[in-house]
């Protein structure tokens, strides 16, 4: 895990081309690198990634409250970018390279938002997908993130028959509310919760990544 501050790269940092992110700069940037065992192949990973409803109940260690808390309160797939069209989880057949999918998710701080998931690459040995908010994210009545200001990208590469490499990058835009930025330990724990959920580790397993 690595938490980067603006001072590490400068105000006008440009995302690497592999992300396809257009925004310049950031308020928070977190990278996660790992290796994990998984024997169900790329199709199994796609099925797990598409199981949006299973995100509900994800937990993380809150450094503010010094306890495990629920991060994702609810989550479900959508037929399009409108919140009034929920549907069943996405299937591997729908998650082809180039596919654009939508989901609605509510977390414990920034409320309910709609996200776009783009499958950039999908082969037997490599999966790349990115996720970003397409609606405003608010805490009570305060805007935390405008559309496109909460972005994540995930790279999964097969290393051997049962071992995969994982790399992710999560960025919040440089115009994000200061209420949602600068919390290094909590941001790391949230990123680790998503990693654990993806690879099948209990999200509240001791110890947390950061206290």
């Amino acid at each position: 895990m690595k938490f980067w501050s603006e001072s590490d790269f400068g105000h006008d940092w440009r995302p690497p081309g592999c992300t396809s992110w257009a925004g310049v700069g950031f308020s928070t940037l977190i990278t996660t690198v790992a290796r994990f065992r998984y024997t169900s192949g790329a199709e199994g990973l796609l099925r797990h990634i598409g199981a949006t409803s299973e995100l509900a109940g994800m937990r993380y260690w809150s450094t503010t409250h010094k306890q495990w808390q629920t991060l994702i309160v609810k989550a479900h797939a959508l037929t399009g970018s409108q919140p009034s069209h929920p549907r069943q989880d996405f299937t591997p057949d729908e998650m082809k390279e180039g596919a654009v999918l939508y989901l609605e998710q509510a977390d414990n701080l920034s409320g309910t938002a709609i996200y776009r998931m783009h499958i950039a690459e999908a082969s037997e040995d490599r999966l790349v997908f990115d996720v970003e908010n397409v609606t405003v994210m608010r805490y009570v009545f305060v805007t935390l993130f405008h559309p496109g200001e909460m972005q994540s990208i995930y790279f999964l590469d097969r290393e051997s028959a049962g071992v995969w490499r994982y790399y992710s990058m999560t960025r919040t835009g440089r115009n994000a509310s200061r209420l949602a930025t600068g919390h290094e330990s909590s941001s790391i724990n949230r990123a680790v919760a998503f990693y654990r959920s993806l690879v099948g580790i209990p999200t509240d397993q001791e110890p947390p990544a950061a206290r």
Side-chain angles (χ1 to χ4, degrees):
M1 297 294 305
K2 176 66 176 177
F3 179 95
W4 306 90
S5 65
E6 185 180 87
S7 61
D8 293 317
F9 294 112
H11 185 69
D12 295 324
W13 172 81
R14 292 186 178 278
C18 61
T19 65
S20 296
W21 294 342
V24 175
F26 63 87
S27 55
T28 298
L29 186 68
I30 303 164
T31 53
T32 308
V33 181
R35 178 183 286 108
F36 64 98
R37 295 189 178 277
Y38 194 81
T39 58
S40 296
E43 183 171 343
L45 284 171
L46 281 174
R47 181 175 292 106
H48 195 48
I49 294 166
T52 303
S53 63
E54 294 180 4
L55 293 172
M58 180 191 297
R59 293 169 67 79
Y60 79 114
W61 178 263
S62 169
T63 56
T64 301
H65 298 92
K66 306 301 181 185
Q67 64 181 8
W68 293 100
Q69 291 194 326
T70 299
L71 172 56
I72 305 299
V73 180
K74 62 179 181 179
H76 58 261
L78 297 171
T79 58
S81 60
Q82 300 303 313
S84 57
H85 298 98
R87 49 154 289 173
Q88 298 297 312
D89 289 339
F90 304 116
T91 66
D93 287 341
E94 294 175 283
M95 303 178 71
K96 302 297 185 184
E97 191 167 306
V100 175
L101 308 166
Y102 293 89
L103 58 133
E104 187 173 46
Q105 180 178 296
D107 74 24
N108 67 334
L109 289 179
S110 53
T112 301
I114 295 174
Y115 296 81
R116 176 194 60 82
M117 178 165 61
H118 169 237
I119 310 300
E121 297 184 44
S123 69
E124 286 299 312
D125 297 317
R126 181 174 169 84
L127 300 174
V128 181
F129 66 101
D130 55 271
V131 180
E132 71 175 32
N133 66 307
V134 296
T135 58
V136 172
M137 301 172 68
R138 294 184 175 91
Y139 177 68
V140 191
F141 298 108
V142 178
T143 296
L144 301 180
F145 305 106
H146 293 283
E149 285 194 321
M150 174 65 78
Q151 297 173 307
S152 299
I153 189 165
Y154 305 85
F155 300 85
L156 294 92
D157 291 281
R158 187 196 300 272
E159 184 175 279
S160 61
V163 178
W164 288 75
R165 295 191 305 272
Y166 173 98
Y167 179 83
S168 73
M169 182 184 297
T170 298
R171 168 190 177 271
T172 58
R174 67 183 182 187
N175 295 318
S177 169
R178 294 194 177 276
L179 291 175
T181 62
H183 308 292
E184 179 173 346
S185 295
S186 289
S187 297
I188 287 173
N189 287 336
R190 286 168 173 255
V192 168
F194 278 96
Y195 164 72
R196 288 180 170 185
S197 174
L198 180 65
V199 305
I201 300 172
T203 55
D204 57 359
Q205 179 173 295
E206 291 283 352
R211 291 283 189 185

